[in-house]
């Protein structure tokens, strides 16, 4: 069932790159043991990467990204590189497929330079060894394979696993902040914007991580929060709420119980909480006519009173009193031109991997635009940002 699949933000993203004549599609199919590569032999048929979530032993859950042949995109060299860069921004491990009979051509070398520039671990799969069995390779980044006969495909997977493990994160969402046996109260509103019949990903991940850490998660709606706190025989070590309920929840939770949100924890997990906290201060500077980008990491069905399109613009208006020009982006479409914005407010990014989230943050910093996220922005607008950072002493002292 899809609900039980590892979310894409938690999967290692493995990108396959190379020229069409190197047999990249056949290598992708041989490695995954499935027909997932859609790139045909006819030039110009595929311009967008194809992705597929799967279990790939010995790696575990991965997202395979099959990119168009670098020589298949057409147009100017610069456009080709720009497209490739976009895919690389979320690639944890790159596989360059080349024809072993020709070695690396100029496009291949360009790709290797990009992997190195972006600090992405990579493997070079020298394909078609069946056609040239006398070819040898001595460099330890490369491996001779044949997608046609299956030669060294298992070894290629092991090589990818060894490289990809270099970037496997040991980070935790919340379990490292608490001790075994601690009680954590999770506030989960069930309103019209909540998906039917399930919890959203950050809530599921928090519960799972708390259980793994030996903590005791207690889940309630905000309407039962006071009752839940009264029923606890021992003081909760933290209350974690949906940020949208911050205003109400902060009034109910006693000051001596740490309070934070799923979105704030997610920003720390994805490595950009410090920047998000600094970025929230830009809300106070917003004035009439300023452009604000609200960006969400996935495309979901927008409900009435949706946070990105309805609530956040409303809260910004109430807080600043300014008439702002709000632009909404979602999914893979993070705008390339950011300098016109005075502020970017991003969602928790639970569906994006850490590399993609940090890339977005870096684009904002490079363009000189502060970027914050839903949780920190809502806490800031409610005047409780400091309080919600009490579990992170460095940041607490920064505010
Ligand atoms: S909008 Fe953002 S936080 Fe919400 S589910 Fe999508 S990626 Fe996760």
């Amino acid at each position: 069932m899809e609900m039980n699949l590892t979310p894409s933000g938690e999967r290692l993203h493995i990108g396959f790159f190379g020229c069409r004549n190197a047999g990249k599609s056949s290598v992708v199919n041989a490695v995954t043991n499935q027909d997932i590569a859609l790139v045909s032999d006819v030039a110009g048929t595929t311009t967008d990467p194809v992705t597929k979530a799967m279990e790939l032993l010995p790696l575990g859950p991965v997202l395979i990204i099959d990119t168009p042949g670098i020589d298949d995109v057409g147009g100017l060299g610069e456009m080709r590189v720009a497209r490739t860069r976009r895919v690389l921004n979320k690639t944890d491990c790159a596989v360059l497929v080349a024809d072993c009979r020709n070695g690396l051509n100029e496009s291949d070398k360009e790709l290797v330079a990009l992997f190195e520039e972006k600090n992405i671990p990579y493997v070079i799969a020298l394909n078609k060894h069946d056609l040239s069995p006398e070819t040898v390779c001595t460099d330890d980044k490369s491996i001779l394979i044949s997608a046609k006969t299956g030669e060294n495909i298992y070894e290629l997977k092991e090589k990818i696993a060894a490289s990809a493990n270099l970037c496997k994160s040991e980070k935790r969402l919340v379990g490292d902040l608490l001790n075994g046996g601690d009680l954590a109260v999770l506030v989960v509103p069930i309103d019209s914007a909540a998906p039917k019949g399930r919890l959203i990903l950050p809530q599921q991940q928090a519960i799972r991580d708390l259980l793994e850490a030996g903590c005791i998660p207690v889940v309630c709606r905000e309407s039962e929060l006071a009752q839940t706190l009264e029923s606890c025989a021992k003081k909760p070590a933290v209350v974690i709420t949906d940020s949208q309920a911050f205003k109400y929840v902060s009034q109910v939770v006693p000051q001596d119980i740490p309070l934070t949100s799923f979105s704030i924890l997610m920003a720390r997990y994805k490595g950009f909480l410090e920047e998000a906290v600094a970025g929230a201060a830009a809300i106070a500077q917003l004035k009439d006519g300023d452009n604000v980008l609200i960006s969400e990491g996935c495309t979901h069905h927008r409900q009435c009173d949706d946070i990105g399109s309805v609530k956040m613009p409303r809260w910004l208006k109430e807080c600043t009193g300014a008439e702002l020009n709000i632009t909404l982006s979602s999914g893979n479409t993070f705008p390339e031109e950011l300098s016109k914005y005075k502020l970017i407010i991003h969602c928790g990014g639970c569906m994006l991997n850490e590399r993609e989230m940090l890339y977005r943050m870096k684009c904002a910093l490079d363009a000189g635009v502060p970027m914050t996220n839903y949780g920190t922005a809502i806490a800031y607008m409610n005047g409780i940002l400091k309080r919600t950072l009490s579990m992170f002493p460095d940041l607490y002292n920064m505010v």
Side-chain angles (χ1 to χ4, degrees):
M1 257 173 28
E2 187 154 349
M3 256 169 56
N4 291 331
L5 289 177
T6 304
S8 61
E10 294 299 302
R11 291 174 179 269
L12 275 173
H13 288 36
I14 302 175
F16 285 78
F17 302 84
C19 297
R20 280 173 311 142
N21 59 13
K24 181 173 58 62
S25 307
S26 323
V27 173
V28 173
N29 288 340
V31 165
T32 58
N33 217 9
Q34 288 181 22
D35 257 358
I36 71 158
L38 296 186
V39 183
S40 88
D41 287 338
V42 185
T45 49
T46 306
T47 51
D48 289 324
V50 177
T51 59
K52 169 100 179 158
M54 61 189 311
E55 290 290 317
L56 186 61
L57 293 173
L59 266 168
V62 298
L63 188 81
I64 299 288
I65 310 171
D66 180 18
T67 64
I70 188 88
D71 55 341
D72 188 29
V73 182
L76 300 167
E78 264 177 37
M79 268 170 63
R80 228 173 41 197
V81 173
R83 294 187 82 97
T84 308
R85 274 181 194 276
R86 277 206 290 279
V87 177
L88 285 174
N89 292 332
K90 56 182 168 195
T91 298
D92 293 312
C93 176
V95 181
L96 171 62
V97 181
D99 187 326
C100 77
R101 293 170 299 174
N102 310 328
L104 301 193
N105 61 25
E106 282 313 308
S107 298
D108 295 329
K109 287 180 188 157
E110 210 177 340
L111 280 167
V112 168
L114 281 173
F115 300 157
E116 291 182 348
E117 176 197 313
K118 290 192 166 276
N119 215 5
I120 297 171
Y122 64 94
V123 173
I124 300 174
L126 296 169
N127 191 27
K128 304 192 184 180
H129 195 223
D130 52 302
L131 299 179
S132 176
E134 67 287 354
T135 306
V136 289
C137 106
T138 45
D139 135 40
D140 66 353
K141 283 241 176 261
S142 308
I143 179 167
L144 286 159
I145 62 160
S146 166
K148 193 169 173 195
T149 65
E151 177 195 344
N152 279 345
I153 293 297
Y154 183 80
E155 288 74 7
L156 170 62
K157 286 201 257 182
E158 287 196 317
K159 216 169 168 53
I160 296 172
S163 299
N165 269 330
L166 291 177
C167 51
K168 243 187 175 169
S169 169
E170 296 302 324
K171 282 185 185 171
R172 305 197 64 157
L173 186 60
V174 59
D176 58 319
L177 297 169
L178 303 173
N179 299 310
D182 277 352
L183 204 66
V185 175
L186 277 52
V187 185
V188 174
I190 306 289
D191 55 16
S192 62
K196 246 195 163 14
R198 65 178 172 90
L199 300 180
I200 60 170
L201 191 53
Q203 296 159 355
Q204 294 174 25
Q205 281 183 275
I207 294 171
R208 167 66 196 251
D209 194 39
L210 288 164
L211 293 173
E212 253 178 54
C215 300
I216 305 163
V218 176
V219 186
C220 65
R221 298 183 300 183
E222 73 274 36
S223 43
E224 283 75 45
L225 175 60
Q227 210 180 328
T228 304
L229 292 174
E230 273 167 30
S231 319
C232 292
K234 79 176 194 184
K235 190 166 103 177
V238 64
V239 172
I240 304 167
T241 180
D242 184 307
S243 313
Q244 299 177 55
F246 254 150
K247 189 172 181 179
Y248 174 77
V249 170
S250 65
Q251 288 159 10
V252 175
V253 177
Q255 289 288 339
D256 60 340
I257 298 179
L259 169 67
T260 192
S261 76
F262 296 104
S263 176
I264 288 177
L265 291 174
M266 194 54 79
R268 181 185 79 117
Y269 185 60
K270 302 284 178 186
F272 71 101
L273 181 56
E274 186 176 338
E275 289 83 355
V277 169
I283 293 173
Q285 315 301 324
L286 293 174
K287 48 186 191 329
D288 286 346
D290 280 349
N291 295 312
V292 175
L293 174 68
I294 296 180
S295 184
E296 297 192 331
C298 70
T299 46
H300 55 258
H301 176 64
R302 297 201 185 287
Q303 312 279 339
C304 54
D305 224 17
D306 177 76
I307 180 165
S309 56
V310 182
K311 285 183 187 159
M312 194 57 80
R314 185 173 73 221
W315 291 330
L316 283 170
K317 173 92 195 335
E318 283 168 9
C319 176
T320 63
E323 291 296 339
L324 304 168
N325 298 322
I326 308 242
T327 305
L328 209 58
S329 81
S330 56
N332 289 328
T333 55
F334 190 66
E336 289 193 13
E337 175 46 47
L338 295 174
S339 55
K340 67 173 179 178
Y341 297 108
K342 286 283 183 288
L343 175 66
I344 299 167
I345 306 181
H346 207 287
C347 73
C350 67
M351 303 294 282
L352 303 178
N353 67 350
E354 183 177 340
R355 190 178 279 273
E356 167 86 25
M357 208 55 243
L358 293 181
Y359 159 72
R360 292 183 178 200
M361 177 55 81
K362 186 167 181 306
C363 289
L365 291 178
D366 288 351
V369 183
M371 178 162 139
T372 186
N373 86 336
Y374 282 179
T376 43
I378 297 169
Y380 181 88
M381 290 189 279
N382 282 293
I384 55 166
L385 182 57
K386 194 172 177 81
R387 180 177 181 197
T388 61
L389 299 172
S390 66
M391 298 178 90
F392 321 108
D394 292 350
L395 295 178
Y396 183 83
N397 294 326
M398 190 175 114
V399 179

